[in-house]
Amino acid sequence: MAGRPDDQQAPLPDASGRAFPCTLLQERLWSQARSGRPYGLNVAMRWQVTGRLTQDVAQRALQALVRRHEILRTCLREVGGRPKQVILPDCPIKLRSIDLSALDADAAMARAEEIARKEAIEPIDLGVAPLFRAGLLRLGPGRSILLLTFHATVADGWSIGLLVAEFEAAAKLIAAGAAPGNTEPELQVVDYALWERELLASGALEQSRQYWRRRLKGLTGTAVPADHEQADRRGDRGDIVSLLLPPGLGSAVDDFASRHGFTLYGLAVAALALLLHRVTGEAKVVIGSQVAHREEPAAELLAGPTVNSITLCLPVDSQASLLAFARVAADEVREALHHQRVPFEAVVRELPEGAGERLHAVNLVVHRSYSGTREAERAHADFTLLSLPSFSSGTQWDLNFFLIWRDEGWRMSCEADRYLYDSSTVSELLEGWRTCLEALVASPDLRLADCPALRSIATRAATMPIDAPALQTAGHREPIPVHDPARQVVRFHEDGSRTPMIAINNRSVYYQLARALGTDRPFIDIQTYHPDGPLDLSGYSFDDFATYAVRLIRSAQPSGPYLLGGHCVYGALAFEAARQLQRMGEKIELVCLFDTWAPGYRETMSRKHQKRRQRQLRVRARLNRIEQYRRGEISLKDLVWVPILRRFGYQTPPGEPTEADLFTGRWFDDHIRDAAHEHRPAPANIDAVLFRSAETLRGRLFDERMGWGSIVAGRLYQANIDSPHLDMFQEKPAAAIASFLGPLLAATEGRRSG
């Protein structure tokens, strides 16, 4: 039981609330969350707690923050076709408690890190407040880890620092028997959103708008050649590599900045630009960066996302001295900060379509103090919090460099898209950045061309082709191989003129559906089980299986628009394949989910609800077998003895053929189901239709939309089919599916042609 969470949820808040406009940043993040690449949108933080902090005190302190700050009881919902901030009058929270104290110290810390990694990437539903999660991991007496994970639409690094300081103060008062203050701050996020729109409409920022128009015209981002190129998976997983600067180098940087009038931020930009110049060979380097965007005094105490992105463009002259280049970087930073009040979203909106997408392939963040606070200044008698390094929630940039002060000194980090870069490459880049920073302060009068430290940084080779081998590090192997896809494809009505229906399954069962849809609809039945199997596919993720399915799909139909579908778990596979195809720029007309539960729907239930649900399923299965016996479809032995033998570990009576013998692809089914249990799909702006069989139970533990309501961000249609789960493609139910699907596809294709 060690390490299992207390999953009992707080009561759901009242769904009513007041709707207000979003900030431009929130609108962009909302769109990204509903796109094919909703990655890196969690701000996952953790603190080491030393001393006495009880779960009750921590939860009450968090609840006090929720009452005080509107953004912590805000969700985002679509109103009139636009995202709106919906503020709830009340929002109970649940502090998840996980007791690891039964484990030894090393095992407890390892388990705590595993939990924190999973917590960082777990999606947050934007439609349900609060848009943050909290957890307290008990390591032992007086030792815990506090986890706070916010969606980027409600918090940034600065505001988390404010919230943590308030949390500490509130917890101290509650522990002492006093009530924390509940006075609302002067400025809330809805006020900030209205002010932002008024400022843009006033014309006061027109000069800055013109600056960015000129500065970014025709500009492309600097991309470091990658080890692997997999556009369909870019961004969904990130790894963070760090190194601690020697104390002597940190002091030398501070002294150099003070002597020459530089900021640490400007020096970090100069060093990173030198690194990018060396590894790419480019004479003009483009870096994205973030600023707090809190020039107004009231905004300094605002809990909410105000962070803004700026673009830095630095020409690199190899004949200039390092000091001269540092001054160029300082001037560029100073000018960009002067025009920082224009929201990046407004800047990108004025660029040609697609021009802003890869503008910030490399990003830089500099914090003088992590989360806006210094741990050494925050000691209390009851407990202290020490900020710990974060885990990646996915990447919005190919490479995201950090320079952050912690109690132990300056820490350089780089969060990299692990499907693009090996960890060894990221370590080399990080060492190169440190080398460039050291060269700036140690040899400022040397020319760039004459600096031995810079010359030691090699130019990287060009990016590998898209179909290059998959990443070998971080537990990933070669992609699931595709040897002869023609052996896995069955075609019907090849001469039809409409968009082909591509159905994914492990056995060819779609003949009646292909027939019912008519001869004008080409039908492609892809049998995914591997013809060279059985193979050991353990360890492959559901995304890996989707990549394998995409390769089969594209071998059958090289380009879109695509109409996909699948039965049971293969419906979920079709949806993930559609997501990957959409990221490649392909058009997805519709995904058909044939009696498919959304991955994660059952797995994220509480243990009590999982057991209750499983019990209902067993009762239903038993009743179905009795009905089969009464109809003469199974024998008395099948009704009585088979369940008894299964309970004792026998799947079928000894000597009889197993199901794996009867169906060649059973081994593949087992692997893909195992992968689906671990998969947690993010929302995707894809239209889908759910066909639900009559065999699927109804009730509180059996969502009418089978868990897809929060995942399908496009249109989600539903049809109920009077058929058992395994018989959905017999003649009568197939005809019912076709009668619903035919007009829907005609309307979809009509919208496309129109």
Side-chain angles (χ1 to χ4, degrees):
M1 296 295 292
R4 289 193 177 180
D6 171 11
D7 280 343
Q8 185 175 352
Q9 297 299 305
L12 289 176
D14 182 2
S16 63
R18 298 171 296 163
F20 296 92
C22 292
T23 67
L24 296 186
L25 171 63
Q26 287 176 319
E27 288 187 348
R28 176 171 65 82
L29 296 176
W30 159 274
S31 298
Q32 185 179 341
R34 291 160 61 93
S35 73
R37 295 185 59 205
Y39 311 126
L41 298 184
N42 288 354
V43 186
M45 316 289 279
R46 60 192 187 121
W47 288 265
Q48 179 179 301
V49 185
T50 303
R52 188 171 184 274
L53 176 62
T54 67
Q55 181 185 1
D56 177 65
V57 167
Q59 180 157 326
R60 289 167 62 191
L62 287 171
Q63 194 68 63
L65 299 186
V66 172
R67 287 193 298 269
R68 174 169 152 78
H69 298 284
E70 290 179 349
I71 193 64
L72 298 184
R73 41 190 164 87
T74 293
C75 59
L76 269 61
R77 296 173 184 164
E78 188 171 317
V79 179
R82 296 287 296 275
K84 298 286 186 180
Q85 298 185 75
V86 178
I87 304 173
L88 303 183
D90 184 39
C91 186
I93 65 162
K94 173 67 178 179
L95 174 68
R96 193 169 67 145
S97 178
I98 303 178
D99 191 352
L100 304 174
S101 60
L103 304 174
D104 63 54
D106 291 342
M109 183 56 72
R111 177 63 177 141
E113 294 203 348
E114 179 186 349
I115 292 170
R117 287 182 189 276
K118 291 182 178 180
E119 179 72 10
I121 63 174
E122 187 73 20
I124 295 176
D125 185 351
L126 287 179
V128 181
L131 301 187
F132 75 95
R133 297 188 294 264
L136 194 62
L137 314 183
R138 297 289 184 187
L139 303 180
R143 292 190 310 116
S144 304
I145 291 179
L146 175 67
L147 302 179
L148 292 177
T149 304
F150 295 82
H151 197 277
T153 54
V154 298
D156 54 20
W158 182 294
S159 56
I160 291 176
L162 297 174
L163 291 171
V164 169
E166 285 193 25
F167 168 81
E168 288 187 89
K172 183 180 180 182
L173 288 171
I174 292 170
N182 58 4
T183 305
E184 286 198 3
E186 179 182 351
L187 187 68
Q188 300 274 17
V189 174
V190 291
D191 305 315
Y192 183 89
L194 294 171
W195 168 80
E196 178 185 63
R197 293 174 184 275
E198 291 172 0
L199 182 64
L200 284 171
S202 69
L205 301 180
E206 186 56 31
Q207 183 180 2
S208 293
R209 280 182 183 246
Q210 292 294 340
Y211 167 81
W212 289 116
R213 288 191 191 106
R214 293 191 305 270
R215 198 72 175 137
L216 303 184
K217 184 177 181 180
L219 198 65
T220 57
T222 298
V224 174
D227 299 309
H228 312 275
E229 183 65 39
Q230 289 186 317
D232 58 314
R233 303 177 67 167
R234 177 172 285 163
D236 70 341
R237 290 292 184 271
D239 279 334
I240 300 176
V241 178
S242 299
L243 63 84
L244 191 65
L245 292 185
L249 178 56
S251 300
V253 169
D254 284 336
D255 292 343
F256 181 82
S258 178
R259 282 200 318 271
H260 295 281
F262 294 135
T263 63
L264 179 69
Y265 178 43
L267 287 178
V269 168
L272 184 57
L274 288 174
L275 169 69
L276 296 176
H277 166 68
R278 291 296 306 172
V279 298
T280 66
E282 295 181 9
K284 181 184 288 186
V285 172
V286 178
I287 301 170
S289 189
Q290 278 67 53
V291 292
H293 199 36
R294 294 175 182 259
E295 300 79 24
E296 299 296 324
E300 291 186 5
L301 299 178
L302 172 65
T306 67
V307 64
N308 191 26
S309 295
I310 59 174
T311 306
L312 304 169
C313 179
L314 296 99
V316 185
D317 181 1
S318 61
Q319 300 305 309
S321 69
L322 289 164
L323 180 59
F325 179 72
R327 289 184 175 133
V328 169
D331 289 343
E332 173 69 13
V333 167
R334 190 178 302 110
E335 193 170 30
L337 293 179
H338 179 72
H339 298 286
Q340 65 172 301
R341 298 179 76 191
V342 181
F344 179 70
E345 291 71 26
V347 172
V348 173
R349 189 182 298 166
E350 298 182 3
L351 298 177
E353 185 176 356
E357 184 176 349
R358 304 294 296 159
L359 189 60
H360 295 172
V362 177
N363 191 71
L364 171 66
V365 176
V366 177
H367 279 302
R368 203 21 117 158
S369 180
Y370 199 46
S371 302
T373 56
R374 286 183 181 272
E375 291 83 354
E377 298 170 359
R378 294 160 49 200
H380 295 312
D382 294 334
F383 67 90
T384 59
L385 297 182
L386 177 67
S387 176
L388 297 174
S390 303
F391 291 116
S392 175
S393 64
T395 61
Q396 299 187 53
W397 307 278
D398 294 351
L399 293 166
N400 190 20
F401 290 87
F402 295 82
L403 181 61
I404 295 175
W405 172 261
R406 295 187 181 276
D407 276 2
E408 65 270 24
W410 285 105
R411 181 176 292 275
M412 281 182 157
S413 302
C414 181
E415 180 183 36
D417 186 331
R418 75 180 187 187
Y419 293 116
L420 295 179
Y421 300 98
D422 294 336
S423 58
S424 58
T425 296
V426 181
S427 295
E428 290 175 6
L429 292 172
L430 212 51
E431 283 290 346
W433 189 25
R434 182 198 60 76
T435 296
C436 291
L437 184 61
E438 190 172 26
L440 278 170
V441 301
S443 310
D445 297 326
L446 280 179
R447 294 190 310 163
L448 272 60
D450 299 332
C451 180
L454 297 186
R455 291 205 307 268
S456 69
I457 301 172
T459 302
R460 289 178 58 80
T463 306
M464 297 179 67
I466 287 179
D467 58 352
L471 194 59
Q472 297 288 329
T473 58
H476 288 265
R477 299 174 287 174
E478 294 287 334
I480 300 171
V482 176
H483 291 162
D484 186 6
R487 294 169 58 191
Q488 297 170 250
V489 174
V490 178
R491 297 179 184 268
F492 306 96
H493 314 318
E494 295 185 59
D495 296 329
S497 61
R498 295 184 178 274
T499 302
M501 172 76 179
I502 300 179
I504 301 174
N505 204 2
N506 212 5
R507 290 163 285 280
S508 185
V509 297
Y510 293 112
Y511 170 72
Q512 294 292 353
L513 178 58
R515 182 180 177 186
L517 285 172
T519 57
D520 200 30
R521 173 80 58 190
F523 199 102
I524 302 172
D525 182 356
I526 293 181
Q527 302 174 55
T528 52
Y529 75 87
H530 206 284
D532 298 326
L535 301 176
D536 180 13
L537 298 179
S538 56
Y540 281 101
S541 70
F542 200 69
D543 284 338
D544 293 324
F545 283 98
T547 300
Y548 168 71
V550 165
R551 295 171 71 189
L552 290 172
I553 290 167
R554 301 200 88 162
S555 70
Q557 182 186 331
S559 61
Y562 286 103
L563 168 60
L564 305 179
H567 183 224
C568 196
V569 71
Y570 290 93
L573 186 66
F575 191 84
E576 289 307 309
R579 187 199 303 271
Q580 292 190 12
L581 288 165
Q582 188 182 66
R583 290 180 207 152
M584 298 175 186
E586 297 289 358
K587 168 70 176 177
I588 306 298
E589 287 195 346
L590 192 69
V591 176
C592 299
L593 306 167
F594 297 112
D595 223 23
T596 299
W597 286 100
Y601 172 73
R602 292 163 288 194
E603 291 80 3
T604 54
M605 287 182 176
S606 68
R607 292 191 303 277
K608 182 176 75 172
H609 287 168
Q610 286 184 18
K611 290 179 180 178
R612 184 179 299 171
R613 191 178 191 278
Q614 193 61 36
R615 187 162 54 246
Q616 293 180 32
L617 288 171
R618 283 198 299 267
V619 171
R620 177 60 177 266
R622 182 66 176 167
L623 293 175
N624 285 345
R625 292 183 67 80
I626 292 172
E627 286 299 315
Q628 287 179 298
Y629 171 71
R630 288 174 177 171
R631 294 194 299 265
E633 297 174 0
I634 60 175
S635 67
L636 183 63
K637 180 181 70 173
D638 293 325
L639 176 64
V640 177
W641 286 106
V642 169
I644 294 175
L645 290 169
R646 283 179 177 169
R647 175 172 290 186
F648 286 97
Y650 297 101
Q651 292 300 308
T652 56
E656 295 191 10
T658 65
E659 189 176 357
D661 295 327
L662 296 175
F663 297 112
T664 308
R666 170 64 185 270
W667 63 272
F668 191 91
D669 290 345
D670 292 340
H671 282 303
I672 199 169
R673 286 196 181 100
D674 288 345
H677 287 320
E678 302 297 323
H679 184 57
R680 300 294 180 268
N685 191 19
I686 295 172
D687 293 348
V689 55
L690 174 64
F691 292 98
R692 182 168 173 150
S693 76
E695 194 171 74
T696 306
L697 292 177
R698 265 69 175 174
R700 186 166 61 90
L701 302 180
F702 298 87
D703 176 38
E704 188 66 23
R705 293 189 167 193
M706 301 179 78
W708 290 101
S710 62
I711 298 171
V712 178
R715 301 178 182 88
L716 178 57
Y717 308 94
Q718 183 175 337
N720 297 322
I721 304 300
D722 187 14
S723 163
H725 174 76
L726 292 176
D727 294 337
M728 288 188 75
F729 304 107
Q730 297 296 325
E731 184 174 2
K732 186 176 179 180
I737 291 171
S739 67
F740 184 90
L741 198 53
L744 184 59
L745 293 178
T748 300
E749 291 166 348
R751 285 195 297 269
R752 175 166 56 88
S753 61

